[in-house]
Short mmCIF file of all heavy atoms in Angstrom, two decimals:
data_model
loop_
_atom_site.label_atom_id
_atom_site.label_comp_id
_atom_site.label_asym_id
_atom_site.label_seq_id
_atom_site.Cartn_x
_atom_site.Cartn_y
_atom_site.Cartn_z
N MET A 1 -118.57 48.26 -70.31
CA MET A 1 -118.83 47.52 -69.08
C MET A 1 -119.26 46.11 -69.42
O MET A 1 -120.13 45.86 -70.23
CB MET A 1 -119.97 48.19 -68.33
CG MET A 1 -119.65 49.60 -67.86
SD MET A 1 -118.34 49.69 -66.65
CE MET A 1 -119.27 49.25 -65.18
N GLY A 2 -118.61 45.16 -68.87
CA GLY A 2 -118.96 43.78 -69.11
C GLY A 2 -119.14 43.07 -67.78
O GLY A 2 -118.88 43.62 -66.72
N LEU A 3 -119.54 41.88 -67.90
CA LEU A 3 -119.65 41.07 -66.71
C LEU A 3 -118.26 40.73 -66.19
O LEU A 3 -117.36 40.42 -66.98
CB LEU A 3 -120.40 39.78 -66.99
CG LEU A 3 -121.89 39.94 -67.26
CD1 LEU A 3 -122.46 38.58 -67.69
CD2 LEU A 3 -122.61 40.42 -66.02
N ALA A 4 -118.09 40.81 -64.89
CA ALA A 4 -116.82 40.40 -64.32
C ALA A 4 -116.73 38.88 -64.37
O ALA A 4 -117.65 38.17 -63.96
CB ALA A 4 -116.71 40.86 -62.88
N VAL A 5 -115.66 38.44 -64.93
CA VAL A 5 -115.46 36.97 -65.01
C VAL A 5 -114.61 36.56 -63.83
O VAL A 5 -113.49 37.00 -63.68
CB VAL A 5 -114.76 36.59 -66.32
CG1 VAL A 5 -114.53 35.07 -66.35
CG2 VAL A 5 -115.58 37.03 -67.50
N PRO A 6 -115.17 35.76 -62.97
CA PRO A 6 -114.38 35.34 -61.80
C PRO A 6 -113.20 34.50 -62.20
O PRO A 6 -113.30 33.63 -63.06
CB PRO A 6 -115.36 34.55 -60.95
CG PRO A 6 -116.53 34.28 -61.79
CD PRO A 6 -116.48 35.16 -63.00
N ALA A 7 -112.09 34.77 -61.61
CA ALA A 7 -110.90 33.94 -61.85
C ALA A 7 -111.12 32.55 -61.27
O ALA A 7 -111.91 32.38 -60.34
CB ALA A 7 -109.68 34.58 -61.23
N ALA A 8 -110.44 31.63 -61.85
CA ALA A 8 -110.59 30.27 -61.34
C ALA A 8 -109.94 30.09 -59.99
O ALA A 8 -110.32 29.22 -59.22
CB ALA A 8 -109.97 29.30 -62.34
N THR A 9 -108.97 30.92 -59.72
CA THR A 9 -108.26 30.79 -58.46
C THR A 9 -107.98 32.18 -57.91
O THR A 9 -107.99 33.16 -58.64
CB THR A 9 -106.93 30.08 -58.63
OG1 THR A 9 -106.16 30.74 -59.64
CG2 THR A 9 -107.13 28.61 -59.04
N ALA A 10 -107.76 32.25 -56.64
CA ALA A 10 -107.38 33.49 -55.99
C ALA A 10 -105.89 33.41 -55.65
O ALA A 10 -105.52 32.68 -54.77
CB ALA A 10 -108.20 33.70 -54.72
N PRO A 11 -105.09 34.15 -56.40
CA PRO A 11 -103.64 34.03 -56.15
C PRO A 11 -103.17 34.93 -55.02
O PRO A 11 -103.56 36.09 -54.92
CB PRO A 11 -103.05 34.47 -57.48
CG PRO A 11 -104.06 35.42 -58.06
CD PRO A 11 -105.40 35.03 -57.50
N PHE A 12 -102.35 34.38 -54.21
CA PHE A 12 -101.68 35.16 -53.16
C PHE A 12 -100.19 34.84 -53.21
O PHE A 12 -99.80 33.74 -53.58
CB PHE A 12 -102.19 34.77 -51.77
CG PHE A 12 -103.60 35.19 -51.47
CD1 PHE A 12 -104.65 34.31 -51.64
CD2 PHE A 12 -103.87 36.47 -51.00
CE1 PHE A 12 -105.94 34.70 -51.38
CE2 PHE A 12 -105.17 36.85 -50.72
CZ PHE A 12 -106.21 35.96 -50.90
N THR A 13 -99.40 35.82 -52.82
CA THR A 13 -97.99 35.54 -52.63
C THR A 13 -97.66 35.77 -51.18
O THR A 13 -97.85 36.85 -50.63
CB THR A 13 -97.11 36.48 -53.50
OG1 THR A 13 -97.45 36.25 -54.87
CG2 THR A 13 -95.64 36.16 -53.30
N LEU A 14 -97.16 34.73 -50.53
CA LEU A 14 -96.77 34.83 -49.13
C LEU A 14 -95.30 35.13 -49.04
O LEU A 14 -94.48 34.56 -49.75
CB LEU A 14 -97.07 33.50 -48.42
CG LEU A 14 -98.46 32.94 -48.51
CD1 LEU A 14 -98.54 31.66 -47.70
CD2 LEU A 14 -99.49 33.96 -48.01
N HIS A 15 -94.97 36.05 -48.15
CA HIS A 15 -93.57 36.32 -47.86
C HIS A 15 -93.25 35.71 -46.52
O HIS A 15 -93.83 36.06 -45.51
CB HIS A 15 -93.31 37.83 -47.84
CG HIS A 15 -93.47 38.46 -49.19
ND1 HIS A 15 -92.39 38.86 -49.94
CD2 HIS A 15 -94.58 38.74 -49.92
CE1 HIS A 15 -92.82 39.37 -51.09
NE2 HIS A 15 -94.15 39.32 -51.09
N LEU A 16 -92.30 34.79 -46.56
CA LEU A 16 -91.98 34.04 -45.36
C LEU A 16 -90.52 34.28 -44.99
O LEU A 16 -89.65 34.40 -45.85
CB LEU A 16 -92.19 32.54 -45.61
CG LEU A 16 -93.60 32.13 -46.01
CD1 LEU A 16 -93.60 30.74 -46.62
CD2 LEU A 16 -94.52 32.18 -44.80
N ARG A 17 -90.25 34.30 -43.69
CA ARG A 17 -88.89 34.40 -43.24
C ARG A 17 -88.59 33.20 -42.34
O ARG A 17 -89.28 32.93 -41.38
CB ARG A 17 -88.65 35.68 -42.44
CG ARG A 17 -87.19 35.84 -42.03
CD ARG A 17 -86.95 36.99 -41.07
NE ARG A 17 -87.29 38.26 -41.65
CZ ARG A 17 -88.03 39.19 -41.04
NH1 ARG A 17 -88.50 38.98 -39.85
NH2 ARG A 17 -88.27 40.33 -41.64
N CYS A 18 -87.54 32.51 -42.74
CA CYS A 18 -87.15 31.33 -42.00
C CYS A 18 -86.80 31.72 -40.56
O CYS A 18 -86.05 32.68 -40.34
CB CYS A 18 -85.98 30.64 -42.69
SG CYS A 18 -85.35 29.22 -41.76
N ASP A 19 -87.29 30.94 -39.61
CA ASP A 19 -87.04 31.25 -38.22
C ASP A 19 -85.62 30.90 -37.81
O ASP A 19 -85.14 31.33 -36.79
CB ASP A 19 -88.02 30.44 -37.36
CG ASP A 19 -88.49 31.25 -36.18
OD1 ASP A 19 -88.63 32.48 -36.30
OD2 ASP A 19 -88.74 30.64 -35.11
N ASN A 20 -84.97 30.10 -38.60
CA ASN A 20 -83.63 29.63 -38.24
C ASN A 20 -82.55 30.47 -38.91
O ASN A 20 -81.69 31.04 -38.25
CB ASN A 20 -83.49 28.16 -38.63
CG ASN A 20 -82.17 27.58 -38.21
OD1 ASN A 20 -81.76 27.78 -37.07
ND2 ASN A 20 -81.52 26.88 -39.08
N CYS A 21 -82.57 30.55 -40.24
CA CYS A 21 -81.48 31.23 -40.93
C CYS A 21 -81.88 32.62 -41.41
O CYS A 21 -81.08 33.34 -41.98
CB CYS A 21 -80.99 30.40 -42.11
SG CYS A 21 -82.18 30.24 -43.47
N MET A 22 -83.14 33.01 -41.17
CA MET A 22 -83.65 34.34 -41.46
C MET A 22 -83.70 34.65 -42.96
O MET A 22 -83.84 35.82 -43.36
CB MET A 22 -82.82 35.44 -40.75
CG MET A 22 -82.72 35.22 -39.26
SD MET A 22 -84.35 35.14 -38.46
CE MET A 22 -84.76 36.87 -38.33
N ARG A 23 -83.54 33.67 -43.80
CA ARG A 23 -83.72 33.92 -45.24
C ARG A 23 -85.19 34.17 -45.53
O ARG A 23 -86.05 33.49 -44.99
CB ARG A 23 -83.26 32.71 -46.05
CG ARG A 23 -81.79 32.63 -46.24
CD ARG A 23 -81.46 31.51 -47.22
NE ARG A 23 -80.04 31.45 -47.53
CZ ARG A 23 -79.12 30.85 -46.78
NH1 ARG A 23 -79.49 30.23 -45.67
NH2 ARG A 23 -77.86 30.85 -47.11
N GLU A 24 -85.42 35.10 -46.43
CA GLU A 24 -86.79 35.36 -46.83
C GLU A 24 -87.08 34.64 -48.13
O GLU A 24 -86.24 34.54 -49.02
CB GLU A 24 -87.07 36.86 -46.97
CG GLU A 24 -87.04 37.57 -45.63
CD GLU A 24 -87.63 38.95 -45.70
OE1 GLU A 24 -88.29 39.27 -46.69
OE2 GLU A 24 -87.38 39.72 -44.75
N SER A 25 -88.26 34.15 -48.23
CA SER A 25 -88.67 33.50 -49.46
C SER A 25 -90.12 33.82 -49.72
O SER A 25 -90.83 34.31 -48.84
CB SER A 25 -88.47 31.99 -49.36
OG SER A 25 -89.24 31.48 -48.29
N THR A 26 -90.54 33.59 -50.93
CA THR A 26 -91.93 33.82 -51.26
C THR A 26 -92.56 32.52 -51.70
O THR A 26 -91.88 31.61 -52.18
CB THR A 26 -92.10 34.86 -52.38
OG1 THR A 26 -91.43 34.37 -53.54
CG2 THR A 26 -91.52 36.19 -51.97
N ARG A 27 -93.83 32.47 -51.53
CA ARG A 27 -94.56 31.30 -51.99
C ARG A 27 -95.87 31.74 -52.59
O ARG A 27 -96.62 32.49 -51.96
CB ARG A 27 -94.82 30.33 -50.84
CG ARG A 27 -95.75 29.20 -51.29
CD ARG A 27 -95.99 28.23 -50.18
NE ARG A 27 -94.79 27.52 -49.81
CZ ARG A 27 -94.78 26.49 -48.98
NH1 ARG A 27 -95.87 26.08 -48.46
NH2 ARG A 27 -93.64 25.89 -48.69
N ASP A 28 -96.09 31.29 -53.79
CA ASP A 28 -97.38 31.58 -54.44
C ASP A 28 -98.36 30.47 -54.09
O ASP A 28 -98.05 29.31 -54.21
CB ASP A 28 -97.21 31.62 -55.97
CG ASP A 28 -96.32 32.79 -56.39
OD1 ASP A 28 -96.36 33.82 -55.70
OD2 ASP A 28 -95.62 32.65 -57.39
N ILE A 29 -99.51 30.89 -53.67
CA ILE A 29 -100.55 29.92 -53.42
C ILE A 29 -101.79 30.30 -54.19
O ILE A 29 -102.04 31.47 -54.46
CB ILE A 29 -100.87 29.78 -51.90
CG1 ILE A 29 -101.39 31.10 -51.35
CG2 ILE A 29 -99.68 29.28 -51.14
CD1 ILE A 29 -101.93 30.96 -49.95
N ARG A 30 -102.51 29.31 -54.57
CA ARG A 30 -103.77 29.54 -55.28
C ARG A 30 -104.88 28.79 -54.58
O ARG A 30 -104.72 27.65 -54.25
CB ARG A 30 -103.66 29.05 -56.74
CG ARG A 30 -102.73 29.94 -57.53
CD ARG A 30 -102.54 29.50 -58.95
NE ARG A 30 -101.61 30.41 -59.60
CZ ARG A 30 -101.93 31.59 -60.11
NH1 ARG A 30 -103.19 31.99 -60.06
NH2 ARG A 30 -101.03 32.36 -60.68
N LEU A 31 -105.94 29.52 -54.36
CA LEU A 31 -107.05 28.95 -53.66
C LEU A 31 -108.21 28.79 -54.61
O LEU A 31 -108.36 29.58 -55.55
CB LEU A 31 -107.48 29.86 -52.51
CG LEU A 31 -106.40 30.14 -51.48
CD1 LEU A 31 -106.93 31.17 -50.48
CD2 LEU A 31 -105.97 28.89 -50.75
N PRO A 32 -109.01 27.80 -54.41
CA PRO A 32 -110.20 27.69 -55.23
C PRO A 32 -111.17 28.82 -54.92
O PRO A 32 -111.11 29.43 -53.85
CB PRO A 32 -110.81 26.34 -54.80
CG PRO A 32 -110.27 26.13 -53.41
CD PRO A 32 -108.91 26.76 -53.40
N VAL A 33 -111.98 29.15 -55.86
CA VAL A 33 -112.97 30.21 -55.65
C VAL A 33 -114.27 29.56 -55.20
O VAL A 33 -114.69 28.54 -55.73
CB VAL A 33 -113.21 30.99 -56.97
CG1 VAL A 33 -114.45 31.86 -56.84
CG2 VAL A 33 -112.00 31.85 -57.25
N GLY A 34 -114.86 30.13 -54.20
CA GLY A 34 -116.12 29.55 -53.76
C GLY A 34 -116.53 30.14 -52.43
O GLY A 34 -115.95 31.09 -51.94
N GLU A 35 -117.49 29.53 -51.85
CA GLU A 35 -118.05 29.95 -50.59
C GLU A 35 -116.97 29.85 -49.49
O GLU A 35 -116.33 28.81 -49.36
CB GLU A 35 -119.21 29.02 -50.28
CG GLU A 35 -120.23 29.55 -49.32
CD GLU A 35 -121.12 30.68 -49.86
OE1 GLU A 35 -121.19 30.85 -51.09
OE2 GLU A 35 -121.72 31.33 -49.04
N GLY A 36 -116.78 30.95 -48.79
CA GLY A 36 -115.87 30.88 -47.65
C GLY A 36 -114.40 30.91 -48.00
O GLY A 36 -113.56 30.73 -47.12
N ILE A 37 -114.07 31.15 -49.28
CA ILE A 37 -112.67 31.21 -49.67
C ILE A 37 -112.19 32.65 -49.45
O ILE A 37 -112.87 33.60 -49.86
CB ILE A 37 -112.53 30.82 -51.16
CG1 ILE A 37 -113.02 29.40 -51.40
CG2 ILE A 37 -111.06 30.98 -51.62
CD1 ILE A 37 -112.25 28.34 -50.64
N PRO A 38 -111.06 32.81 -48.79
CA PRO A 38 -110.60 34.18 -48.54
C PRO A 38 -110.27 34.92 -49.82
O PRO A 38 -109.72 34.37 -50.75
CB PRO A 38 -109.34 33.96 -47.70
CG PRO A 38 -108.95 32.54 -47.89
CD PRO A 38 -110.19 31.81 -48.20
N ARG A 39 -110.65 36.20 -49.86
CA ARG A 39 -110.46 37.00 -51.07
C ARG A 39 -109.37 38.04 -50.90
O ARG A 39 -108.95 38.64 -51.85
CB ARG A 39 -111.79 37.70 -51.43
CG ARG A 39 -112.83 36.73 -51.93
CD ARG A 39 -114.20 37.35 -51.84
NE ARG A 39 -114.49 37.71 -50.43
CZ ARG A 39 -115.55 38.33 -50.04
NH1 ARG A 39 -116.45 38.71 -50.90
NH2 ARG A 39 -115.73 38.62 -48.76
N ASP A 40 -108.96 38.30 -49.69
CA ASP A 40 -107.86 39.25 -49.51
C ASP A 40 -106.98 38.80 -48.37
O ASP A 40 -107.24 37.76 -47.74
CB ASP A 40 -108.39 40.69 -49.31
CG ASP A 40 -109.33 40.79 -48.12
OD1 ASP A 40 -109.14 40.04 -47.13
OD2 ASP A 40 -110.26 41.61 -48.17
N ALA A 41 -105.94 39.57 -48.12
CA ALA A 41 -104.95 39.12 -47.16
C ALA A 41 -105.52 38.95 -45.76
O ALA A 41 -105.21 38.00 -45.05
CB ALA A 41 -103.78 40.12 -47.13
N ASP A 42 -106.38 39.87 -45.36
CA ASP A 42 -106.96 39.77 -44.03
C ASP A 42 -107.79 38.50 -43.86
O ASP A 42 -107.70 37.82 -42.86
CB ASP A 42 -107.84 40.99 -43.74
CG ASP A 42 -107.02 42.25 -43.50
OD1 ASP A 42 -105.81 42.11 -43.19
OD2 ASP A 42 -107.55 43.34 -43.65
N GLU A 43 -108.58 38.22 -44.89
CA GLU A 43 -109.39 37.01 -44.80
C GLU A 43 -108.51 35.77 -44.84
O GLU A 43 -108.83 34.76 -44.22
CB GLU A 43 -110.39 36.99 -45.95
CG GLU A 43 -111.47 38.05 -45.80
CD GLU A 43 -112.54 37.96 -46.88
OE1 GLU A 43 -112.59 36.95 -47.61
OE2 GLU A 43 -113.32 38.88 -46.95
N LEU A 44 -107.43 35.87 -45.60
CA LEU A 44 -106.53 34.73 -45.68
C LEU A 44 -105.92 34.42 -44.31
O LEU A 44 -105.84 33.26 -43.92
CB LEU A 44 -105.42 35.01 -46.70
CG LEU A 44 -104.43 33.86 -46.93
CD1 LEU A 44 -105.14 32.67 -47.60
CD2 LEU A 44 -103.31 34.31 -47.82
N ILE A 45 -105.51 35.45 -43.60
CA ILE A 45 -104.89 35.25 -42.29
C ILE A 45 -105.89 34.62 -41.34
O ILE A 45 -105.54 33.77 -40.53
CB ILE A 45 -104.38 36.62 -41.75
CG1 ILE A 45 -103.17 37.06 -42.56
CG2 ILE A 45 -104.02 36.50 -40.28
CD1 ILE A 45 -102.75 38.48 -42.31
N GLU A 46 -107.14 35.05 -41.45
CA GLU A 46 -108.14 34.52 -40.52
C GLU A 46 -108.63 33.14 -40.91
O GLU A 46 -109.31 32.48 -40.15
CB GLU A 46 -109.33 35.49 -40.48
CG GLU A 46 -108.97 36.79 -39.81
CD GLU A 46 -110.06 37.84 -40.00
OE1 GLU A 46 -111.11 37.51 -40.58
OE2 GLU A 46 -109.85 39.00 -39.59
N SER A 47 -108.31 32.73 -42.08
CA SER A 47 -108.82 31.45 -42.56
C SER A 47 -107.92 30.32 -42.08
O SER A 47 -106.87 30.51 -41.49
CB SER A 47 -108.87 31.41 -44.10
OG SER A 47 -107.57 31.22 -44.61
N ALA A 48 -108.35 29.12 -42.36
CA ALA A 48 -107.60 27.95 -41.95
C ALA A 48 -106.56 27.55 -43.00
O ALA A 48 -105.78 26.63 -42.77
CB ALA A 48 -108.54 26.77 -41.69
N PHE A 49 -106.51 28.27 -44.11
CA PHE A 49 -105.65 27.80 -45.21
C PHE A 49 -104.18 27.89 -44.84
O PHE A 49 -103.39 27.04 -45.19
CB PHE A 49 -105.92 28.63 -46.48
CG PHE A 49 -107.19 28.26 -47.15
CD1 PHE A 49 -108.32 29.04 -46.94
CD2 PHE A 49 -107.28 27.14 -47.97
CE1 PHE A 49 -109.53 28.68 -47.52
CE2 PHE A 49 -108.48 26.80 -48.55
CZ PHE A 49 -109.60 27.57 -48.34
N LEU A 50 -103.82 28.93 -44.10
CA LEU A 50 -102.40 29.08 -43.77
C LEU A 50 -101.94 27.97 -42.84
O LEU A 50 -100.77 27.59 -42.86
CB LEU A 50 -102.15 30.44 -43.17
CG LEU A 50 -102.34 31.63 -44.12
CD1 LEU A 50 -101.99 32.93 -43.41
CD2 LEU A 50 -101.49 31.46 -45.35
N GLY A 51 -102.83 27.49 -42.00
CA GLY A 51 -102.48 26.44 -41.09
C GLY A 51 -102.10 25.15 -41.77
O GLY A 51 -101.40 24.31 -41.21
N ASP A 52 -102.56 25.00 -42.99
CA ASP A 52 -102.27 23.77 -43.73
C ASP A 52 -100.97 23.84 -44.52
O ASP A 52 -100.51 22.85 -45.06
CB ASP A 52 -103.40 23.46 -44.72
CG ASP A 52 -104.69 23.09 -43.99
OD1 ASP A 52 -104.58 22.65 -42.82
OD2 ASP A 52 -105.75 23.26 -44.56
N LEU A 53 -100.41 25.04 -44.61
CA LEU A 53 -99.21 25.20 -45.41
C LEU A 53 -98.02 24.55 -44.72
O LEU A 53 -97.81 24.71 -43.54
CB LEU A 53 -98.90 26.69 -45.62
CG LEU A 53 -99.66 27.39 -46.72
CD1 LEU A 53 -99.20 28.83 -46.77
CD2 LEU A 53 -99.43 26.71 -48.04
N LYS A 54 -97.24 23.89 -45.50
CA LYS A 54 -96.02 23.28 -44.99
C LYS A 54 -94.83 24.13 -45.46
O LYS A 54 -94.72 24.45 -46.64
CB LYS A 54 -95.85 21.86 -45.51
CG LYS A 54 -96.96 20.92 -45.08
CD LYS A 54 -96.75 20.47 -43.63
CE LYS A 54 -97.75 19.40 -43.25
NZ LYS A 54 -99.11 19.93 -43.15
N PHE A 55 -94.00 24.50 -44.52
CA PHE A 55 -92.81 25.25 -44.87
C PHE A 55 -91.59 24.35 -44.69
O PHE A 55 -91.51 23.57 -43.76
CB PHE A 55 -92.68 26.47 -43.96
CG PHE A 55 -91.40 27.26 -44.20
CD1 PHE A 55 -91.30 28.11 -45.30
CD2 PHE A 55 -90.33 27.14 -43.34
CE1 PHE A 55 -90.14 28.83 -45.52
CE2 PHE A 55 -89.15 27.84 -43.56
CZ PHE A 55 -89.06 28.69 -44.65
N ASN A 56 -90.67 24.47 -45.63
CA ASN A 56 -89.43 23.74 -45.49
C ASN A 56 -88.33 24.56 -46.13
O ASN A 56 -88.25 24.66 -47.35
CB ASN A 56 -89.56 22.37 -46.18
CG ASN A 56 -88.49 21.40 -45.68
OD1 ASN A 56 -87.36 21.80 -45.43
ND2 ASN A 56 -88.86 20.14 -45.54
N CYS A 57 -87.49 25.14 -45.30
CA CYS A 57 -86.43 26.01 -45.82
C CYS A 57 -85.38 25.16 -46.54
O CYS A 57 -84.83 24.23 -45.96
CB CYS A 57 -85.79 26.76 -44.65
SG CYS A 57 -84.49 27.88 -45.18
N ARG A 58 -85.14 25.50 -47.80
CA ARG A 58 -84.22 24.68 -48.56
C ARG A 58 -82.78 24.75 -48.04
O ARG A 58 -82.12 23.73 -47.89
CB ARG A 58 -84.25 25.09 -50.05
CG ARG A 58 -85.27 24.28 -50.81
CD ARG A 58 -85.33 24.67 -52.27
NE ARG A 58 -86.69 24.77 -52.74
CZ ARG A 58 -87.06 25.51 -53.78
NH1 ARG A 58 -86.19 26.18 -54.44
NH2 ARG A 58 -88.32 25.55 -54.13
N PRO A 59 -82.27 25.93 -47.76
CA PRO A 59 -80.87 25.99 -47.30
C PRO A 59 -80.64 25.31 -45.96
O PRO A 59 -79.62 24.67 -45.77
CB PRO A 59 -80.56 27.50 -47.21
CG PRO A 59 -81.58 28.11 -48.12
CD PRO A 59 -82.81 27.27 -48.03
N CYS A 60 -81.55 25.47 -45.02
CA CYS A 60 -81.22 24.97 -43.66
C CYS A 60 -82.15 23.87 -43.19
O CYS A 60 -81.90 23.24 -42.19
CB CYS A 60 -81.23 26.11 -42.66
SG CYS A 60 -82.85 26.66 -42.16
N GLY A 61 -83.23 23.64 -43.89
CA GLY A 61 -84.12 22.54 -43.52
C GLY A 61 -85.09 22.86 -42.42
O GLY A 61 -85.85 21.99 -41.99
N SER A 62 -85.10 24.09 -41.94
CA SER A 62 -86.07 24.44 -40.90
C SER A 62 -87.49 24.36 -41.44
O SER A 62 -87.76 24.61 -42.60
CB SER A 62 -85.80 25.87 -40.41
OG SER A 62 -86.84 26.29 -39.55
N VAL A 63 -88.37 23.96 -40.55
CA VAL A 63 -89.78 23.89 -40.97
C VAL A 63 -90.59 25.01 -40.31
O VAL A 63 -91.81 25.03 -40.42
CB VAL A 63 -90.41 22.52 -40.62
CG1 VAL A 63 -89.74 21.43 -41.43
CG2 VAL A 63 -90.31 22.24 -39.13
N ILE A 64 -89.91 25.92 -39.63
CA ILE A 64 -90.61 27.02 -38.97
C ILE A 64 -90.30 28.33 -39.67
O ILE A 64 -89.14 28.64 -39.92
CB ILE A 64 -90.19 27.10 -37.49
CG1 ILE A 64 -90.52 25.79 -36.79
CG2 ILE A 64 -90.90 28.27 -36.81
CD1 ILE A 64 -89.93 25.71 -35.40
N ALA A 65 -91.34 29.05 -40.01
CA ALA A 65 -91.16 30.32 -40.68
C ALA A 65 -92.16 31.33 -40.12
O ALA A 65 -93.20 30.94 -39.61
CB ALA A 65 -91.33 30.19 -42.19
N GLN A 66 -91.80 32.58 -40.26
CA GLN A 66 -92.73 33.62 -39.89
C GLN A 66 -93.29 34.24 -41.16
O GLN A 66 -92.55 34.51 -42.10
CB GLN A 66 -92.04 34.68 -39.05
CG GLN A 66 -91.64 34.16 -37.70
CD GLN A 66 -91.23 35.26 -36.76
OE1 GLN A 66 -91.12 36.42 -37.17
NE2 GLN A 66 -91.05 34.93 -35.51
N LEU A 67 -94.56 34.50 -41.12
CA LEU A 67 -95.21 35.18 -42.23
C LEU A 67 -94.97 36.66 -42.08
O LEU A 67 -95.39 37.27 -41.08
CB LEU A 67 -96.71 34.85 -42.19
CG LEU A 67 -97.53 35.40 -43.36
CD1 LEU A 67 -97.09 34.79 -44.67
CD2 LEU A 67 -98.99 35.11 -43.11
N VAL A 68 -94.25 37.24 -43.04
CA VAL A 68 -93.91 38.65 -42.92
C VAL A 68 -94.70 39.53 -43.88
O VAL A 68 -94.66 40.74 -43.80
CB VAL A 68 -92.40 38.90 -43.12
CG1 VAL A 68 -91.62 38.26 -41.97
CG2 VAL A 68 -91.94 38.34 -44.45
N GLY A 69 -95.42 38.92 -44.79
CA GLY A 69 -96.23 39.73 -45.68
C GLY A 69 -97.06 38.90 -46.61
O GLY A 69 -96.76 37.74 -46.86
N ILE A 70 -98.12 39.49 -47.11
CA ILE A 70 -98.98 38.82 -48.09
C ILE A 70 -99.30 39.80 -49.21
O ILE A 70 -99.65 40.95 -48.95
CB ILE A 70 -100.30 38.35 -47.45
CG1 ILE A 70 -100.02 37.33 -46.35
CG2 ILE A 70 -101.22 37.74 -48.51
CD1 ILE A 70 -101.29 36.89 -45.63
N GLU A 71 -99.14 39.35 -50.41
CA GLU A 71 -99.58 40.15 -51.56
C GLU A 71 -100.65 39.36 -52.29
O GLU A 71 -100.69 38.14 -52.25
CB GLU A 71 -98.43 40.39 -52.54
CG GLU A 71 -97.35 41.30 -52.00
CD GLU A 71 -96.18 41.33 -52.94
OE1 GLU A 71 -96.30 40.86 -54.08
OE2 GLU A 71 -95.11 41.81 -52.51
N GLY A 72 -101.46 40.11 -53.00
CA GLY A 72 -102.40 39.43 -53.86
C GLY A 72 -103.81 39.49 -53.32
O GLY A 72 -104.14 40.30 -52.45
N GLY A 73 -104.60 38.60 -53.80
CA GLY A 73 -106.01 38.62 -53.48
C GLY A 73 -106.74 39.54 -54.45
O GLY A 73 -106.14 40.20 -55.27
N TYR A 74 -108.00 39.57 -54.28
CA TYR A 74 -108.79 40.41 -55.17
C TYR A 74 -108.87 41.81 -54.62
O TYR A 74 -108.95 42.04 -53.44
CB TYR A 74 -110.21 39.84 -55.31
CG TYR A 74 -110.24 38.52 -55.99
CD1 TYR A 74 -110.66 37.38 -55.32
CD2 TYR A 74 -109.82 38.41 -57.31
CE1 TYR A 74 -110.67 36.16 -55.96
CE2 TYR A 74 -109.82 37.20 -57.94
CZ TYR A 74 -110.25 36.07 -57.27
OH TYR A 74 -110.25 34.87 -57.90
N VAL A 75 -108.82 42.75 -55.52
CA VAL A 75 -108.95 44.15 -55.15
C VAL A 75 -110.25 44.70 -55.71
O VAL A 75 -110.53 44.51 -56.89
CB VAL A 75 -107.76 44.96 -55.69
CG1 VAL A 75 -107.92 46.44 -55.34
CG2 VAL A 75 -106.45 44.43 -55.13
N TYR A 76 -111.01 45.33 -54.87
CA TYR A 76 -112.29 45.84 -55.31
C TYR A 76 -112.22 47.35 -55.52
O TYR A 76 -111.48 48.03 -54.86
CB TYR A 76 -113.37 45.51 -54.28
CG TYR A 76 -113.53 44.05 -54.08
CD1 TYR A 76 -112.96 43.40 -52.99
CD2 TYR A 76 -114.25 43.29 -55.00
CE1 TYR A 76 -113.10 42.03 -52.83
CE2 TYR A 76 -114.40 41.94 -54.84
CZ TYR A 76 -113.84 41.31 -53.75
OH TYR A 76 -113.97 39.96 -53.59
N GLY A 77 -113.05 47.82 -56.38
CA GLY A 77 -113.21 49.25 -56.50
C GLY A 77 -112.32 49.90 -57.56
O GLY A 77 -112.26 51.11 -57.62
N TYR A 78 -111.61 49.12 -58.34
CA TYR A 78 -110.78 49.70 -59.38
C TYR A 78 -111.23 49.24 -60.76
O TYR A 78 -111.77 48.14 -60.87
CB TYR A 78 -109.32 49.30 -59.16
CG TYR A 78 -108.75 49.93 -57.92
CD1 TYR A 78 -108.71 49.22 -56.75
CD2 TYR A 78 -108.31 51.26 -57.95
CE1 TYR A 78 -108.19 49.80 -55.60
CE2 TYR A 78 -107.81 51.84 -56.80
CZ TYR A 78 -107.76 51.12 -55.63
OH TYR A 78 -107.26 51.70 -54.50
ZN1 LIG B 1 -83.63 28.54 -43.19
#
């Protein structure tokens, strides 16, 4: 048993679907660790971080996407 070393960042992978051409893509985001930083998908959704994300579909140029899934974040209890 050792001390848990906090990661420098909280990695998440967002799964996005373009609203125009329906292509799915993923985006890795890393958040700083600290007070009020979301640690799991639910907290991420409720946070303001997603509102700051800019989406730009490469094939069609659409800037509107739907968030269809989130992976990552910290998992507790394992
Ligand atoms: Zn598109």
Side-chain angles (χ1 to χ4, degrees):
M1 297 294 280
L3 290 173
V5 179
T9 54
F12 290 96
T13 300
L14 305 181
H15 292 256
L16 301 163
R17 184 189 296 133
C18 176
D19 217 34
N20 185 46
C21 69
M22 306 303 280
R23 279 187 175 84
E24 290 194 16
S25 60
T26 60
R27 173 179 294 189
D28 294 329
I29 61 171
R30 291 179 181 278
L31 302 174
V33 167
E35 202 71 18
I37 300 298
R39 290 162 301 176
D40 57 32
D42 287 341
E43 290 186 11
L44 182 66
I45 289 169
E46 291 168 4
S47 77
F49 286 98
L50 292 183
D52 292 336
L53 278 181
K54 298 282 188 290
F55 176 77
N56 199 323
C57 182
R58 269 180 223 156
C60 77
S62 171
V63 294
I64 301 170
Q66 293 193 351
L67 184 63
V68 294
I70 298 177
E71 291 172 13
Y74 294 116
V75 177
Y76 298 100
Y78 292 98

